[in-house]
Amino acid sequence: MLNPVNGPEIHISFAPRLGLFVAARHRAGRSAVVTDGASTLGHVVESLGVPLTEAGRLLVDGRPVTPAHVPAAGEHVEVLGVERPQPVPGAPLRFLLDVHLGTLARRLRLLGVDAAYESEDIGDPALAAWSARERRVLLSRDRGLLRRRELWAGAYIYSDQPDEQLRDVLERFAPQLAPWKRCTACNGPLTDADKDAVRERLEQGTRRTYDVFAQCTECDRVYWRGAHHARLEAIVENALREFGGAAA
Ligand SMILES: [Zn+2]
């Protein structure tokens, strides 16, 4: 823990984006912090309020160090933000969203991005274990959840507005977009469906008007092109215009 009396004093500065996590006195340039002389820099950064998922490169007197570095007296530490787009090595890019991010989950799925989400609150330990088991980047606005050691990877969601949340995730991780290829209800992949095969499940107007059908391979829900709400079309168009990806 930070010890205000005995330890070495270091100077630390944070990237502007990290300002919301730290006390006001750490927001403008370098500020002094007294450490206990044994804690790692990762621990010091977390103790000051920054989830390590949000810290990018750590520099000591201009040299990169790992979070395991133990700061010594007089060092100047810079905590940068994560690089954007942020590489996520070691697994296909996929996400897990906490219980508060249902709208964002549906929008990511709309764009074809693999976004697991459970509308029931299964609790932090279960979410963290899920992230580890399936190697999913956990998205959350809960700093405590993002500090759990079991997490495979995580990212703080800075906005409480779904439009901004979506732009943030697309900009940060640059996932490949494939709109209308994933079930917004369950995250399952969609497959082309034969109209005759799903005929009895459609209302008469739909049966007459729409010809291209897709069906969820996991929950059997039926989708048809042209029946999408204009708002969803706009979300897809905006995302493709700004962040590219496969054509709709
Ligand atoms: Zn489904």
Side-chain angles (χ1 to χ4, degrees), residues 85-233:
Q86 179 181 0
V88 179
L93 179 59
R94 48 192 176 187
F95 298 98
L96 169 63
L97 286 75
D98 83 9
V99 68
H100 303 294
L101 296 176
T103 301
L104 178 59
R106 285 187 296 278
R107 290 186 182 192
L108 288 169
R109 292 168 179 174
L110 180 69
L111 296 169
V113 177
D114 190 334
Y117 168 78
E118 186 61 66
S119 60
E120 264 176 65
D121 190 355
I122 60 174
D124 289 2
L127 276 172
W130 189 354
S131 160
R133 190 171 62 246
E134 297 188 359
R135 293 189 162 196
R136 290 177 178 275
V137 180
L138 181 71
L139 305 181
S140 179
R141 286 176 52 73
D142 180 338
R143 301 175 205 186
L145 177 52
L146 292 175
R147 281 183 200 174
R148 296 192 76 93
R149 294 288 174 237
E150 318 90 284
L151 283 188
W152 183 70
Y156 183 77
I157 296 297
Y158 287 80
S159 175
D160 57 5
Q161 300 300 314
D163 288 347
E164 290 172 29
Q165 292 173 342
L166 183 63
R167 292 190 73 258
D168 186 25
V169 173
L170 297 182
E171 184 201 47
R172 178 165 176 174
F173 292 101
Q176 189 162 13
L177 305 185
W180 319 114
K181 300 285 192 198
R182 192 171 286 275
C183 179
T184 55
C186 85
N187 198 41
L190 300 184
T191 185
D192 291 340
D194 181 62
K195 192 172 180 178
D196 290 331
V198 298
R199 179 175 295 277
E200 73 278 7
R201 304 189 52 170
L202 304 177
E203 312 213 344
Q204 209 162 22
T206 309
R207 218 183 283 168
R208 274 199 310 272
T209 314
Y210 303 114
D211 279 327
V212 180
F213 295 86
Q215 190 164 21
C216 178
T217 55
E218 287 177 18
C219 77
D220 291 339
R221 186 181 166 125
V222 174
Y223 292 82
W224 48 93
R225 202 174 282 261
H228 303 296
H229 195 286
R231 189 175 53 84
L232 299 187
E233 298 275 9

